[in-house]
Amino acid sequence: MTYDIRAQGILIIDFGSQYTQLIARRVRAIGVYCEIHPYDINNNTLQDLAPRGIILTGGPESVNTTLAPQVSQLVFDLGIPVLGICYGMQTMAIQMGGQVMASEQREFGFAEVTLVGIENFLSGIKDHIKTDGSQTLDVWMSHGDQVTELPLGFELIASTKNAPIAAMACKTKNFYGLQFHPEVTHTRQGSQILERFIIDICQCEQHWTTTNIITNAIANVRAQVGTDRVLLGLSGGVDSSVVATLLHHAIGDRLICVFVDHGLLRQGEADEVMDQFVTHMGVQVIQVNAAQLFLDKLIGITDAEAKRKVIGSTFIEVFDAKAQQLKDIKWLAQGTIYPDIIESAAASTGKAHVIKSHHNVGGLPDDMTLQLVEPLRELFKDEVRQLGLELGLPYTMVYRHPFPGPGLSVRILGEVKPKYVQILRQADAIFIEELHQADWYHKVNQAFVVFLPVKSVGVVGDGRRYQYVVSLRAIETIDFMTARWAHLPYELLEKVSNRIINEIEHISRVTYDVSSKPPSTIEWE
Ligand code: XMP
């Protein structure tokens, strides 16, 4: 390959918008590489990145407060196109000498913007033509402030009733501002607007394709590890499965996977993982059956965070012991993906609030001397999935619901007992099977059963049954940060409930969790 598929991409400067990652995914979907950096990105990094264009995101602040975040003046001096969205437009206006004021009416939701002028950034992009010949766009607004005076050299290109300056442009410098959000799907022509900026204005080339990403990743891994052997903790989740597949393509037998079965996996999961990777793909996988060890260590532990910690440290202990037995290994592969990098950067700057410590199997032991290989660290989850499919992983594996590292342990409230694990596994398998059967599995983003260690009375036949309670949980979400409980059909819930109670003698009652996130979390612990 003669070109770098990351070169000449888009730099996204983040002011804390809830849509920042969405903007990045839209840019990538257009076939152009982009990176997200915080608004206080320093000038050297800015110059080293050498982007073809910059997008300034929205954000929760008001530009008129004393400590309002601003970007370095260099952003406007580099001589490259800049697109400001919402707060990004407002800071561009203020930093270039315009004015921003609080709107009389805050605008949230749909708005119709009317295009102003004929030849400009938005021309040719429209949803409707009105009887008076004016062209309009259906867009998504979410703002309290608005630009009230254009900076010198800017012209008005669109307005709404509430925001007379809804879009602005400085043609000579290729600076553009949009008060609305082109990244959300509610803005119907959003992708076209972003494409106008990225392809027509910034003249980026569309090198960021799945095939190119794979070719590039394989070449990079080969260059990085040479003839060394690489160790990977395979969990069966999407990320580690895609890493295993990619590395197998890149270095074949020099990839050694260790699959630790902690006894808290879903029904049939361990066999599925071994079948796929060993039988179908010929990957070297060492399976470690450590269920008893994990269950022993969990005895008497009832606190959710304590359970996570025990599982995390036991995993490392088991994984490490296996790794020590393997000689001549210099590299440890991990399925880190781009949101992990963005979120851990936010956490380290104190910009994120930790609600649960997410312990993932595959965590890096502190005293390990292995160097890291992270071939997915620039990719979003949807890109990882595309890679998986293109590399030949089955759809069912690539699109399976996420499963927490600590497994079923966080779906058994309180102490984890082998009997509870067995009951939960059976109930969960029934729920998932019925979701597939009813064609609902892929309509929800995560679904599972939670075991409640309390007993309730039921009647089976003529007898009284005093047994455990389970709850079904199914959610719809885009980013797993917020979620809505899925409105599953009553008939489906009824069927699942009947099957669980009839087929599992230790369950006398099935409930459905109708809590959204926030305030509840997706998992119960
Ligand atoms: P919560 O429960 O925080 O879950 O709303 C959000 C998403 O994260 C998953 N989750 C975990 N994943 N280790 C993981 O790898 C964990 O300890 C963990 N806890 C929650 C959860 O399944 C959901 O997809």
Side-chain angles (χ1 to χ4, degrees), residues 308 356-360 402 404-406 446 480 517 521-523:
R308 282 190 161 81
K356 292 176 189 177
S357 56
H358 280 198
H359 277 278
N360 289 317
Q446 201 170 4
F480 294 89
K517 173 183 180 178
T521 52
I522 296 171
E523 303 288 347

Side-chain angles (χ1 to χ4, degrees), residues 17-73:
S17 165
Q18 55 175 327
Y19 300 132
T20 299
Q21 291 194 28
L22 193 54
I23 300 176
R25 284 164 52 203
R26 296 267 180 263
V27 176
R28 301 269 186 103
I30 291 169
V32 172
Y33 179 70
C34 61
E35 273 182 34
I36 299 173
H37 286 259
Y39 65 86
D40 52 3
I41 177 174
N42 70 46
N43 286 348
N44 289 340
T45 314
L46 200 53
Q47 257 155 342
D48 290 348
L49 285 169
R52 272 270 166 109
I54 294 178
I55 296 179
L56 309 176
T57 76
E61 311 285 337
S62 164
V63 288
N64 288 323
T65 54
T66 33
L67 289 175
Q70 293 202 338
V71 274
S72 158
Q73 181 56 35

Side-chain angles (χ1 to χ4, degrees), residues 64-131:
N64 288 323
T65 54
T66 33
L67 289 175
Q70 293 202 338
V71 274
S72 158
Q73 181 56 35
L74 183 62
V75 165
F76 304 111
D77 293 343
L78 282 172
I80 57 172
V82 182
L83 171 67
I85 297 172
C86 197
Y87 183 95
M89 167 185 182
Q90 294 162 10
T91 197
M92 176 189 275
I94 288 280
Q95 293 192 234
M96 309 217 56
Q99 267 202 18
V100 172
M101 303 238 281
S103 318
E104 273 174 24
Q105 247 182 321
R106 295 162 73 83
E107 245 183 329
F108 290 101
F110 276 110
E112 189 175 61
V113 301
T114 305
L115 308 188
V116 179
I118 303 163
E119 272 295 305
N120 65 42
F121 176 61
L122 294 172
S123 52
I125 305 177
K126 60 181 178 298
D127 283 312
H128 313 283
I129 301 178
K130 300 281 160 178
T131 44

Side-chain angles (χ1 to χ4, degrees), residues 305 308 355-361 401-407 410-411 445-446 448 473 475 477 479-483 517 520-525:
E305 280 297 275
R308 282 190 161 81
I355 297 178
K356 292 176 189 177
S357 56
H358 280 198
H359 277 278
N360 289 317
V361 287
H401 293 166
F403 186 60
V410 289
R411 295 176 179 171
N445 302 96
Q446 201 170 4
F448 51 89
R473 179 96 165 118
I475 53 108
T477 177
D479 55 7
F480 294 89
M481 308 290 278
T482 60
K517 173 183 180 178
S520 302
T521 52
I522 296 171
E523 303 288 347
W524 279 38
E525 283 198 337

Side-chain angles (χ1 to χ4, degrees), residues 244-265:
T245 314
L246 186 69
L247 290 184
H248 185 63
H249 273 75
I251 58 169
D253 274 358
R254 279 178 290 121
L255 167 69
I256 305 182
C257 298
V258 172
F259 171 52
V260 177
D261 180 354
H262 53 24
L264 299 159
L265 297 171

Side-chain angles (χ1 to χ4, degrees), residues 289-301:
N289 295 316
Q292 199 54 51
L293 176 68
F294 279 84
L295 289 171
D296 286 349
K297 293 223 181 193
L298 286 166
I299 290 174
I301 301 179

